[in-house]
Amino acid sequence: MDHLAGIDVGATQIKLGTVDLEGRILQQDRLPAGAKASFVDFARPIAESLKRLQDKTGGTLRAVGIGTPGFTDKRTGVLMGGAENIPCLKGNSLSAFIKERFAVPAVTDNDGTCAAAGELAWGSARSYRDFLLITLGTGIGGGLVLDGKVYRGAQGFAGEVGHLGLDRNGPWCVCGSRGCFEQYASATAIVRLHRERLQKRRLPIPEPLEPAAVLMAARNGDPVALETVRHAARAIAQAFGSVANLLNVEACIIGGGLSAMADQLAGFVREYVADYAWPLLASGLKIHTAALRNDAGLLGAAALALQELSWR
Amino acid sequence: MDHLAGIDVGATQIKLGTVDLEGRILQQDRLPAGAKASFVDFARPIAESLKRLQDKTGGTLRAVGIGTPGFTDKRTGVLMGGAENIPCLKGNSLSAFIKERFAVPAVTDNDGTCAAAGELAWGSARSYRDFLLITLGTGIGGGLVLDGKVYRGAQGFAGEVGHLGLDRNGPWCVCGSRGCFEQYASATAIVRLHRERLQKRRLPIPEPLEPAAVLMAARNGDPVALETVRHAARAIAQAFGSVANLLNVEACIIGGGLSAMADQLAGFVREYVADYAWPLLASGLKIHTAALRNDAGLLGAAALALQELSWR
């Protein structure tokens, strides 16, 4: 049987899987990412794991998709920057490494773009031609599908929705801009802002304070957690409103590790978005969480590989 | 000879022209727009003027493009909203009116989208696949070309870049959002902010205070006008930075009535944009004024008509 492989490279963990052409995972594996001395030390275990998965899966591996943080040159797969947590990737191409060893088409792209490709192929966005997906994590990543295709932009770096400037007087951000969206609604920001709220009110702070626990507490009616979640929802609504005004997308989708917990958050965003977009654009806008939960990265990378095949 | 016609509908004036397939104006006319009692009273003089232009031009009229403010339904040409200054247009289709009388393809689109189509076909954007054009006028309009094509979005309303939220604590805007881009850098905003500056410093205020005069004074070294222009440039840089981060466009172009005077403004925007975008995205970004000056609206509408022909 023909199948694909998807590789989701995170800062702490690498998820790999073989995936059939309908988006079902056939075999999967996980590797610790850790800090590696060199690119080859980082890439070789990935290739070995993929070889084992392929042996177990049998059939023909048609294409490999790889999602990583940061900015990838779309022609070569070389990481140009923006993945500070995995320094050995910079200047190297995981897809070239895989392509050479497996003699199949391989493509690397940004993890937010992969997540959008996954939702388009097999998730909650199958009926949409124009949508934005955001991933709430350490930062906020994103991917765009416009006119029915994954949109990459001039150099292939499109989708950095986490760096929309929401507040011209806000704090400076690592990207060079101020008051960026991710300062207000990333998983990191949700934890930071919730911690600050608890501290100011001299309330006990659970340790470790996990973002999913904050969302869970809000769902259970905790009033302080509800404030934190509503505050994040307002920032998301502002970003979605700007994107709706600029791109007239059909839908804005909340993805990333928190999406399984984010239905209440998405509800608040739906409530607030009319405050931040033209009525005509806000009224038609669909807002919901992503359908591909824990395996979104892996499946998104495989969806990208499928797209790579269809280019040929 | 085969040719096109472009109609640029503004709140105070309507410009019409026949245009050859290389973007040269063959014949042109202007009508006062004024407040009309009914749609037919508004549309009939346009059709009559077009008839006269066509008689003078001779040859075959292949298609008519019409640019108007506001949101147009892309299938029918019906204005859905957002053109408060021309109330009789709402719910009606100028392109249907023209199509019926002239038996040629006719299309209506937003004036910002038309301007982008014009720069793509015959102006300063011929070599770009991905760009944003903004029009500085009463408000800030805009148009997007993505992957080499005019991008319209789900309902055809894309390009409302004037309503990117630059300040989450800023003043509420007519669109329903807060701190919108056009509050800081439209021609209206430039005049308002310059007037406030002059008032606060008890300096004489020239009347009428025209936006072009403010840009001219800044070019001549007037220090207060320079402050006003730098302030507007910072808002434009912030909007361009957000758009570069989101869309990785190759260029951001400053168009609209002020563009002929805006080279100094564009220079300041180039200076500031690194403060508002990822270095990788800001460094490759081209920022300049539009090439089609006074006739941009008319030529843009004709370019849209040309595109309409190529759809067939």
Side-chain angles (χ1 to χ4, degrees):
Chain A
M1 192 180 69
D2 284 3
H3 59 267
L4 311 160
I7 305 175
D8 174 22
V9 177
T12 55
Q13 193 176 230
I14 301 161
K15 295 184 191 175
L16 302 92
T18 48
V19 176
D20 74 12
L21 301 184
E22 278 75 47
R24 284 178 293 255
I25 295 176
L26 303 170
Q27 298 287 338
Q28 60 180 316
D29 193 16
R30 289 173 185 217
L31 302 170
K36 291 298 190 311
S38 74
F39 173 70
V40 173
D41 288 344
F42 187 87
R44 194 183 295 120
I46 295 175
E48 288 165 0
S49 165
L50 182 59
K51 177 71 171 58
R52 289 192 300 272
L53 286 179
Q54 174 53 22
D55 289 345
K56 279 199 269 183
T57 307
T60 307
L61 178 63
R62 293 291 310 279
V64 179
I66 303 161
T68 75
F71 300 117
T72 300
D73 182 292
K74 62 182 169 181
R75 288 167 301 111
T76 60
V78 171
L79 192 98
M80 307 300 288
E84 280 71 19
N85 293 321
I86 320 173
C88 71
L89 276 186
K90 190 165 180 179
N92 291 298
S93 170
L94 268 178
S95 44
F97 190 89
I98 295 293
K99 197 184 287 181
E100 195 189 312
R101 270 152 196 78
F102 291 82
V104 293
V107 60
T108 311
D109 216 322
N110 174 268
D111 43 16
T113 298
C114 286
E119 289 296 313
L120 177 67
W122 302 311
S124 63
R126 274 173 280 193
S127 69
Y128 301 148
R129 281 187 64 79
D130 302 286
F131 70 92
L132 168 74
L133 178 138
I134 63 168
T135 57
L136 303 182
T138 311
I140 294 181
L144 284 163
V145 169
L146 302 178
D147 279 338
K149 290 180 306 187
V150 173
Y151 175 77
R152 289 185 171 77
Q155 298 150 287
F157 306 153
E160 286 294 336
V161 64
H163 301 279
L164 286 180
L166 301 193
D167 184 353
R168 63 199 326 238
N169 304 307
W172 291 92
C173 175
V174 61
C175 74
S177 183
R178 300 184 71 153
C180 284
F181 176 27
E182 72 175 33
Q183 304 285 339
Y184 303 98
S186 65
T188 315
I190 288 172
V191 165
R192 175 173 52 79
L193 294 166
H194 191 58
R195 184 184 295 279
E196 287 174 9
R197 252 193 196 85
L198 292 170
Q199 272 169 345
K200 278 181 206 153
R201 298 179 192 190
R202 299 175 191 277
L203 291 166
I205 299 171
E207 294 293 352
L209 187 57
E210 298 288 349
V214 180
L215 296 193
M216 178 68 92
R219 271 162 47 158
N220 293 336
D222 177 89
V224 183
L226 262 171
E227 271 185 62
T228 300
V229 170
R230 282 187 178 273
H231 182 272
R234 204 161 260 294
I236 296 170
Q238 191 189 349
F240 284 2
S242 278
V243 171
N245 283 341
L246 183 66
L247 295 175
N248 187 203
V249 288
E250 199 175 349
C252 290
I253 302 175
I254 299 170
L258 288 183
S259 57
M261 298 287 301
D263 283 335
Q264 184 190 46
L265 177 71
F268 294 146
V269 177
R270 274 193 293 274
E271 184 183 323
Y272 299 148
V273 77
D275 292 345
Y276 300 100
W278 279 101
L280 208 56
L281 298 172
S283 63
L285 187 68
K286 296 177 192 78
I287 293 167
H288 54 79
T289 58
L292 307 178
R293 304 293 196 183
N294 287 331
D295 302 313
L298 189 168
L299 286 170
L304 206 75
L306 184 63
Q307 204 186 54
E308 167 78 354
L309 277 182
S310 71
W311 293 337
R312 285 156 181 272
Chain B
M1 192 180 72
D2 283 2
H3 60 267
L4 310 161
I7 304 175
D8 174 21
V9 177
T12 55
Q13 193 176 57
I14 299 161
K15 295 184 192 175
L16 302 93
T18 48
V19 176
D20 74 12
L21 302 183
E22 280 74 46
R24 284 179 292 256
I25 295 175
L26 303 170
Q27 298 287 339
Q28 60 180 315
D29 192 17
R30 288 173 186 216
L31 303 171
K36 292 297 190 310
S38 74
F39 173 69
V40 173
D41 289 344
F42 188 87
R44 193 183 296 120
I46 296 175
E48 287 165 0
S49 166
L50 182 59
K51 177 70 171 59
R52 289 192 299 273
L53 286 179
Q54 174 52 25
D55 289 346
K56 279 198 269 183
T57 307
T60 307
L61 178 63
R62 294 292 309 280
V64 179
I66 304 162
T68 75
F71 300 118
T72 300
D73 181 293
K74 61 182 168 180
R75 288 166 301 110
T76 60
V78 171
L79 192 98
M80 307 300 288
E84 279 72 19
N85 292 322
I86 321 173
C88 71
L89 276 186
K90 191 164 178 179
N92 290 297
S93 170
L94 269 177
S95 44
F97 190 91
I98 295 293
K99 197 185 287 181
E100 196 189 311
R101 269 151 195 79
F102 292 82
V104 294
V107 60
T108 311
D109 215 325
N110 175 269
D111 42 17
T113 298
C114 286
E119 289 296 313
L120 177 67
W122 302 313
S124 63
R126 275 174 279 194
S127 68
Y128 300 149
R129 282 186 63 79
D130 302 286
F131 70 92
L132 168 75
L133 178 138
I134 63 169
T135 56
L136 303 183
T138 311
I140 295 181
L144 284 163
V145 169
L146 302 178
D147 280 338
K149 289 180 305 186
V150 173
Y151 174 78
R152 289 185 172 76
Q155 299 150 285
F157 307 154
E160 285 296 334
V161 63
H163 301 278
L164 286 179
L166 301 193
D167 184 353
R168 62 198 327 240
N169 304 307
W172 290 93
C173 175
V174 60
C175 74
S177 184
R178 300 185 68 153
C180 283
F181 175 27
E182 72 175 33
Q183 304 285 340
Y184 304 98
S186 64
T188 315
I190 288 173
V191 166
R192 174 173 52 80
L193 294 166
H194 191 57
R195 184 183 296 278
E196 286 173 10
R197 254 194 194 85
L198 291 171
Q199 271 167 346
K200 277 181 207 151
R201 300 180 191 189
R202 300 175 190 276
L203 292 166
I205 299 171
E207 294 294 351
L209 187 57
E210 298 288 348
V214 180
L215 296 192
M216 177 67 92
R219 271 162 47 158
N220 292 337
D222 177 88
V224 183
L226 262 171
E227 271 184 62
T228 299
V229 170
R230 281 187 179 273
H231 182 272
R234 203 161 262 293
I236 298 171
Q238 190 189 350
F240 285 3
S242 279
V243 171
N245 283 341
L246 182 66
L247 295 175
N248 187 201
V249 288
E250 198 174 350
C252 290
I253 302 175
I254 299 170
L258 287 182
S259 58
M261 298 287 302
D263 283 336
Q264 184 190 48
L265 177 72
F268 293 147
V269 177
R270 275 192 293 275
E271 184 183 323
Y272 299 148
V273 76
D275 291 345
Y276 301 101
W278 279 101
L280 207 56
L281 298 172
S283 64
L285 187 68
K286 297 177 192 78
I287 292 167
H288 55 78
T289 57
L292 307 179
R293 303 295 196 182
N294 287 331
D295 302 313
L298 190 168
L299 286 170
L304 206 75
L306 184 63
Q307 206 187 53
E308 167 78 354
L309 277 182
S310 71
W311 292 339
R312 286 155 182 272

